[in-house]
Amino acid sequence: MTHRAVSPVFVGREAELETLKEAFDQARKQATAAVLLGGEAGVGKTRLIGSFAEQAGQQDAHVLVGGCVELSAEGLAYAPFTAALRQLVRETSAAEVAALLPDGAARDLARLLPEFGEPSGDGETETARARLFELILMLLERLAERRPVVLVIEDVHWADRSSRDLIAFLSRNLRTSPVLMVMTYRSDELHRTHPLRPVLAELGRVEGVVRIELPRFTQDEVAAQMAGILGVTPEFTKVDTVFARSGGVPLFVEALLDSGDDCTVPDSLHDLILGSIERLPEETQRVLRTAAAGGIRVGHALLASVSVLSDTELEDALRPAIAANVLQVADGGAYAFRHALIREAVHDELLPGEHARMHARYAEEIEQDRSLVPPGRAAIEIAHHWYAARNDQWALTSAWDAAGKAARSFAYTEQIQLLERVLTLWDKVPDAAERIDVDHVTILERASEAAYVSGDMDRGLKFVRAALSELDEETAPERVAELLVRRANINSQKGKTGSLDDLRRAERLVPLPTEARVNVLTRLGTMLMLTEQTIEGTTFTEEALRIARQMGDERLEADLLLNLALGHSVSGALDRTVETNDHALRMGRRLSSPRIVLRALANNVDALDKLGRSEEAVELAAEGEKLARQYGRYRHQGVFIANNRAEALTSLGRWDEAIEVVEHAMRMGSTLRNRWHMLRVKAEIAIGRGEEDLAREFLTEIGAFAPRSDETAQEQANNAFLLLTWHLLRGEPLKAVEVAEKILADSVPAKKDTLGWRLLATMRLVCDAAAPVDAVRVSTLRAGAEELAADMRGNGAACEAYRLVHQGDFDAAAQAWRQLGRPYVQAEALLHAAAGSAGAGDREGAADRLREAHPVAMSLRATPLVTRIETLARRVGTPLDDDPVRQAAASAQPVASATLTRRELEVLRLVAAGRGNRDIAAELFISAKTVSVHVSNILPKLGVSTRAEAAAAAHRLSLLG
């Protein structure tokens, strides 16, 4: 009987196919991020995806397909995305793809595909990968503006670290475009330490990600598959046998049917798969073993070169394998094994000597003609084959070359893997240094840099320590200094101490005005400024600026100007901050440096808000965010600008807008520190609105309750402010006092600009709240705050308004906030001014202030502030309704059935609380005699004769609210 190796009929999978269709429909509505399709090897994942992709294409979807290969684990970075890009360029052109991106941005894609020209010369390694990620995302979004996009990534269990990170990034951020990512993986290969497991766990927490686990076939489905392969309905007994022996795995069903009518069961899965291979001609088997050494897919020209066959001889040898569906003809003149398991089984048949010779042949042929493999893959292919050939000498040199290629592609994690291979082989190759023209320390230095920029701080620290142990600072001071700076950066990221000590030591090692000294001073100056050592930090930064100008390095000069502006900001010279940032901005535009332009804009948004020019800050932020999108840098620098915009919106009382901005920015996959900045905005608004659970969650995540050792001065000041307001919200004035005392002891707001004055203003409110509880302790706290305020700097209207609050001049503060358009602090100042007026007997003045504050607080939905305003209004006896007619009616309106006036109800509440006439009088700002009159009126209305009976009646009639 003749039969096909694969059923032409798509069998089963109705539920899974329907799930994929539903996900695609949801993606078109911008509601689904990705589908994760798992299943054991041979279960039919590729067949299912192929059927879905075909149907999606019929619905006008643009289907892009990329697959991970085993080489990815050895350093072939971004393989699936490179394949998808290559397909896109083949379908259109490199110029058309580039036109979808900002001007010049496609040059970064040249690091993946040479069709995009020469890669950009931008050496900003710390932001390069983020830019590349954003470009891929932007490209998918632009493609989706034309028609829905389906991006299929197969075999992600083989994905390299960079591809895994990019997959996670896209899954979090493809939320506003009709794009669906579909990823397949072998679930049976995910051992406990497999690197894909944490990625799957992270994606499982992303809203809109759908997981499908593809099961084996049922017996009925196996029967249908057999019927499609055989062309006739199989006998039941044969179906029963095949189902039992295959376990319902479609690939094994095919192999069993191909083994003959008796469906003999081989001793192992390996033998089962090889059964169909062994029936092929010997020459075909030999060429298949050669092809297997080349990977799951190998080009015709490469295979011909390695096998030393002519085109005709090769085609004749492969024809039986293609007819048996062991090999398939793929795009681009290549051959691909039908399934990875087949390729693995054939490759395992290579004898040890044959294995080494075959891989060496591949390496030699690719070295002679790099066009034999897809563009960009030669270096890693050569490194892979020499390593597989166990040739230490060539494995070392090729790994070094491939590491350089990985770095140029921003694949820093893969660069580390290759450099570690170089380090492992170093002692096995006696003349290693001469062969690659660098010493052992250089390998460690490159590895430490790659680890740092990829975020692998522990690994980076290991490499730095190893490099330092091999260097003598007397003979190599600049190299030691550079490593000390890197160690300082790593320790700062890890929240460890010692960074400043390392930087000071590095500064002493490079006393001459060289580029090495500039690099040290740049980092040292910044760290000193961020730790409140502004004068020294500014001195070092100015020295670095002079050297940079002597060197003629304008980009470095612009960066140092921005650092200098940071010093002005920390010291409170906000006008100079804006002026210096503007200078750097002009330089950035002239130099066509998006990074400098966006950094200057971001810094000025912050400075303008601190100056009280929040409306200008919001407008400037909008400009900055627009530019960040144009430059393809939104999710790196644009997110930072968006956070600054949210802070300005919060100042202006546009809280809902601020939350919307923050939540959108947080979906962009921000860095951890940016996330903390944005959570502080949300925490401030949550506290203002009395949302305790939310506020507690945010404060916990940013570390406000358990401060980290690596907090900057700005982070300390912001967290301290939030803690003070948190305790005031919860009615815990003494706990707020404890926080305030620690603030003064640690000099958190020392000589800082707006943030410092905001802390002092908030401490004034804490003192006012805690004074009735512990007057002595509060007096000490006030004295400490006054002493600190005497040395405080800072300019601008916002600083002045906070200073007025600190001094207790609440009316002047309210007027200042009114002029600045900051409603929350304005209403808060009016409340405190009203309390002061009421205490002085000016009930009408208190009423006026409360009536102004109340609608402002109501518009913000600032529930705690509204409650405090209304409580004081009741104590003063002031209706808050703006209509005079309704005010008069409300004053005389009886409450409930007891016909008590509002004032009598206030008195009753305090009577029920056990308060005496004098206490009630003080609480309500009236005389004790007036209280006595009210009590006398209340008793008969309630039909009682004593205060205790009045309290009981109030509870019984639910009059206390």
Side-chain angles (χ1 to χ4, degrees), residues 651-838:
S651 299
L652 293 168
R654 293 156 62 177
W655 288 359
D656 291 331
E657 286 182 67
I659 292 172
E660 184 179 339
V661 168
V662 164
E663 290 181 345
H664 177 265
M666 289 177 73
R667 289 195 295 268
M668 299 295 106
S670 60
T671 64
L672 186 58
R673 266 203 150 77
N674 274 349
R675 176 178 173 82
W676 289 339
H677 290 324
M678 290 184 280
L679 285 177
R680 288 186 183 95
V681 173
K682 298 186 77 173
E684 181 177 347
I685 294 172
I687 290 171
R689 286 182 166 165
E691 298 165 337
E692 284 193 33
D693 291 341
L694 271 180
R696 183 185 292 106
E697 175 187 331
F698 300 147
L699 293 175
T700 300
E701 184 171 345
I702 65 175
F705 296 128
R708 298 181 307 278
S709 59
D710 64 330
E711 286 181 346
T712 65
Q714 177 175 332
E715 290 171 329
Q716 288 178 331
N718 282 324
N719 285 357
F721 164 75
L722 291 171
L723 274 182
L724 291 175
T725 56
W726 164 256
H727 288 304
L728 288 178
L729 168 67
R730 290 170 53 82
E732 300 168 340
L734 289 183
K735 287 188 177 180
V737 168
E738 288 180 21
V739 173
E741 290 169 341
K742 189 173 188 309
I743 290 171
L744 292 181
D746 295 345
S747 299
V748 171
K751 301 178 183 178
K752 238 183 124 47
D753 58 346
T754 314
L755 297 181
W757 279 113
R758 181 173 71 164
L759 268 181
L760 287 178
T762 309
M763 288 165 62
R764 167 61 188 248
L765 306 184
V766 168
C767 288
D768 289 351
V773 186
D774 193 335
V776 175
R777 191 174 175 186
V778 166
S779 177
T780 303
L781 179 60
R782 288 189 197 275
E786 285 298 335
E787 184 178 339
L788 184 61
D791 292 329
M792 285 284 289
R793 294 190 292 269
N795 63 316
C799 281
E800 175 61 18
Y802 281 126
R803 187 184 65 79
L804 292 169
V805 173
H806 164 70
Q807 293 176 340
D809 192 347
F810 294 110
D811 278 320
Q815 176 61 22
W817 293 131
R818 188 182 298 108
Q819 291 175 348
L820 291 173
R822 298 193 175 187
Y824 181 80
V825 281
Q826 174 196 346
E828 192 173 49
L830 286 167
L831 170 62
H832 287 276
S837 296

Side-chain angles (χ1 to χ4, degrees), residues 909-925:
R909 285 195 181 100
L910 295 173
V911 168
R915 308 283 284 275
N917 287 356
R918 289 186 180 277
D919 290 335
I920 295 172
E923 180 76 14
L924 299 180
F925 304 105

Side-chain angles (χ1 to χ4, degrees), residues 162-202:
S162 294
S163 290
R164 293 196 302 270
D165 290 346
L166 180 50
I167 285 168
F169 173 81
L170 293 174
S171 298
R172 289 191 303 267
N173 292 293
L174 279 172
R175 309 293 302 172
T176 58
S177 297
V179 179
L180 176 67
M181 275 205 308
V182 182
M183 294 159 282
T184 70
Y185 63 93
R186 289 189 193 173
S187 54
D188 52 326
E189 291 204 1
L190 298 188
H191 51 78
R192 187 173 59 84
T193 59
H194 196 288
L196 184 62
R197 290 182 73 93
V199 178
L200 294 177
E202 178 186 352

Side-chain angles (χ1 to χ4, degrees), residues 14-243:
E14 290 86 358
E16 292 79 14
L17 191 57
E18 187 61 32
T19 300
L20 285 165
K21 291 178 182 176
E22 290 175 358
F24 180 51
D25 288 341
Q26 290 299 311
R28 297 173 80 162
K29 301 172 186 175
Q30 304 171 8
T32 297
V35 173
L36 302 170
L37 177 63
E40 62 188 297
V43 81
K45 299 182 293 294
T46 299
R47 187 75 186 270
L48 172 62
I49 291 302
S51 178
F52 165 69
E54 182 181 355
Q55 294 183 33
Q58 292 170 357
Q59 297 180 49
D60 197 37
H62 191 169
V63 181
L64 298 172
V65 181
C68 304
V69 296
E70 287 183 278
L71 271 180
S72 298
E74 295 189 32
L76 180 60
Y78 305 116
F81 298 98
T82 301
L85 270 176
R86 186 173 290 113
Q87 174 192 336
L88 188 59
V89 169
R90 192 166 57 245
E91 292 172 349
T92 56
S93 68
E96 188 173 341
V97 174
L100 297 172
L101 300 170
D103 290 343
R107 292 178 63 194
D108 276 341
L109 295 183
R111 301 174 188 275
L112 304 186
L113 213 60
E115 284 89 331
F116 290 102
E118 284 296 317
S120 66
D122 191 344
E124 297 168 19
T125 55
E126 294 185 32
T127 62
R129 197 172 80 141
R131 293 201 315 275
L132 179 62
F133 282 20
E134 188 154 349
L135 280 180
I136 299 292
L137 175 60
M138 182 183 295
L139 179 58
L140 290 171
E141 290 173 337
R142 295 284 172 83
L143 287 171
E145 291 174 2
R146 301 175 171 182
R147 53 180 172 145
V149 172
V150 175
L151 174 62
V152 177
I153 303 176
E154 294 200 81
D155 299 318
V156 292
H157 52 277
W158 282 330
D160 57 283
R161 167 68 184 275
S162 294
S163 290
R164 293 196 302 270
D165 290 346
L166 180 50
I167 285 168
F169 173 81
L170 293 174
S171 298
R172 289 191 303 267
N173 292 293
L174 279 172
R175 309 293 302 172
T176 58
S177 297
V179 179
L180 176 67
M181 275 205 308
V182 182
M183 294 159 282
T184 70
Y185 63 93
R186 289 189 193 173
S187 54
D188 52 326
E189 291 204 1
L190 298 188
H191 51 78
R192 187 173 59 84
T193 59
H194 196 288
L196 184 62
R197 290 182 73 93
V199 178
L200 294 177
E202 178 186 352
L203 294 181
R205 293 189 292 269
V206 176
E207 184 182 356
V209 172
V210 177
R211 293 191 69 162
I212 302 174
E213 188 67 27
L214 198 61
R216 297 181 176 191
F217 274 168
T218 65
Q219 185 161 340
D220 288 343
E221 289 168 334
V222 167
Q225 181 189 10
M226 292 173 64
I229 293 172
L230 298 172
V232 296
T233 302
E235 297 176 358
F236 174 78
T237 54
K238 189 168 187 176
V239 171
D240 197 43
T241 300
V242 170
F243 177 68

